[in-house]
Structure formats: C-alpha cells, structure tokens
Amino acid sequence: MNAVAVITGLGASLPPDRIGNDQLVREGLDTSDAWIRTRTGIHSRHRVRPGTTTGDLAVAAARGALESAGAHDAGLLILATTTPDRRCPATAPELAARLGMTGTPAFDLAAVCSGFVYAAAVASAMLMAGAYDSVLLVAAETYSTIVDPRDRETAVIFGDGAGAAYLTRGERRDPGALVHFDLGSDGTGSDLIMIPAGGSGSPYTDELPPRRDRYFRMRGREVYARAVRQMADSSRTVLSRAGWSVDSVEAFVAHQANQRILDSVADKLGIPPERCHGNLREVGNTAAASLPLALADTAARGAVAPGARALLTAFGGGLTWGSIAMTWPEAKPVRHAPESRPTHKETASCPPSTTTS
C-alpha cells in the first residue's frame, strides 16, 4: 500500500520581539553572551508580549499553513502544546473557531518537545483510516510564560513560536510524504523535565507553592545524555522501517534543543553537517514548535530539494521521543504575525498573507 499522509502546506509565526543574549544579561540573568553561545549555540530567541497567548501564535501559523496549501479548512485540527492558553478547556477548539472552523473536531496533544512528531503520527493514522481527508496540525508554545527568568538552565534556551502543517492523503513518492514513524516514552524519567506544581498531584491552593515549583525545570546533564541516545536510536529504527540507509538521508532536522545535542546526534548517526538543517541560532528551543519552524525556515530558504529523503527526530519531557522518515515537501511556507485574541464571538476568515518566511 503506497498511500501515506503528505504535507501540502507549511505555516509559521514568531513574536516580533527578538531577545538577544545581552538582553537576558541586562534583565539580571547571571550569565554572559559568550557563555550562552558556547554552551547552547543560541544567539537570540523570540518572546511574546504581555497579553499574547499560545493561541494567538497558533492562529497565525495555522492561517499560514492553510494559505500555503490553498485550503480554507480541514477535517480535523490537532494542537501540540505544553503551554495552552488555560488549564481547562483545551486551546484547540477555540483555535478552530478563530479559523472559521466551528464544528470541526479539535483537541490538544501534550508530548512536550516531541509534540509535533506525536501529532503527525496521530494525524497520519486518522488520514490512513479514512476518518478525515485533511488534518491541520499546529504546534505552538509560549515557554516564556513558564520559564523562571532567574534560572540560567532554562531561561537562556527557550523561546516562543508556532509552526503548522497541512496534511492530506497522497502517495509515498510524493514530496512531503510521511513514510514511517517511530514513537517511544519512558515515564521513569518524568522528573527530568517538569513543572512540579499545578496539576492534580500538587494543585494550587490559597497558598501558592514555592516559586521554584511553579516554573518549568530541567535536569540538563541527564536530559542531554538521554536525548542524544534516544533520538539516535529512534532515527535508526524509523530508517530501518522505511528501508533507507543513513547515507541516503539528504536532509536531517532534529528538535532544536541546543547545538551540542544536535551535533552529537548527527555524529552518532554519521550524518555530515551539510545535511543538517535548523534555526536554533535565531529562535532557540521552541519545544513542540521546533520541528515545524525548522521545516518552514529550511523550506523558505530552498536549502533542500522537494522529494529529497529527510529524517526528523525529537525528544521531550515525559520522557517522550519520536522520529519521522519523510520526503521533503514542495510547499512554500507562509509566515504571519501573531494575531490578537478576538474580544467577542465572530466568524473568522483567512486573510491574505502578510509576509512569507
């Protein structure tokens, strides 16, 4: 059977405020531009302004993907995020409504930095089952709202942004074909990447929990070792399922965690630097939005030919990980600025593009 899910549209959205390393230092973080660049490879990241939500970024990226695909709606909407607009309800139904897709099934998916891969696998399964003819997959994050600005371990790494992909059924030979997936998890490492308070295990009460328990925390050294091993192993597994050799991979895009992790995974797989693509330097780690933003950026630059064999891989909290063997899409990415949340119920429409990325 040659039918597979195919990416036919790509969208992206980044907040207008670009935060350089020196600004973090001026804001009081105990670090330096040189330290950040050396340890992470990150030069800047984007940060939402007060009042701008994950949903606002998601709407903009989703509109871009719809426009890129020449579509007005989709049969299903999935939003991959760790930073929903509120704990309840999910952000996806409101996102669908803002896109003029009221009545369309929509749900949030939480797999932290592996969210896009997990959501793509779910979308692919829905399409292959014949449940829907199209899926709008959005990954959006505002990590600046959950990262402690005093924590050098996390504040220097994470940024805000959203990416989106429009999926339909097609053939394995088509550009943008999602050929095979590999997913995995290990809950014994759930404490390596977490926000301790706020869930049913440690709910908020009249007395707020300690400051450190309200923010995202990560045990960097342990995460580094696990991330490199799991992404490399998952990549080998998905390539084996696709019947591809590592040498046949023409484009490698890994979750934009930090440069040391990216270099180590590529080295373990034997993928040369010229085949590795991403935008970590300019946007930092955008969690679930990382892969679609890197896809859109690379595609916009024309750095990879449509139809080329590509390998995507990610690792995140949970712990979760996953990989995709795919052919490079020919879709032209469309980028929109974040949209403000409407103040009253209204039927949304897809406006013309503001910029292309």
Side-chain angles (χ1 to χ4, degrees), residues 9-31:
L10 289 169
S13 183
L14 290 168
D17 292 344
R18 186 170 178 173
I19 311 300
N21 295 336
D22 286 337
Q23 182 168 336
L24 295 180
V25 177
R26 291 194 298 271
E27 291 174 351
L29 191 64
D30 182 18
T31 186

Side-chain angles (χ1 to χ4, degrees), residues 78 80-81 109-120 137-139 141 287-288 314 320:
I78 305 174
T81 186
L109 184 151
V112 196
C113 298
S114 305
F116 180 79
V117 176
Y118 266 66
L137 170 53
V138 188
E141 303 282 15
T320 61

Side-chain angles (χ1 to χ4, degrees), residues 13 48 51-63 77 79-86 90-99 108 138-142 145 160-163 337-342:
S13 183
V48 294
T52 299
T53 70
T54 294
D56 297 334
L57 291 173
V59 169
R63 290 198 196 282
L77 187 152
L79 173 63
T81 186
T82 319
T83 55
D85 287 359
R86 57 186 75 83
T91 303
E94 184 177 4
L95 168 59
R98 292 175 65 178
L99 294 168
D108 290 3
V138 188
E141 303 282 15
T142 52
T145 64
D160 303 335
E339 293 194 14
S340 299
R341 182 195 298 253

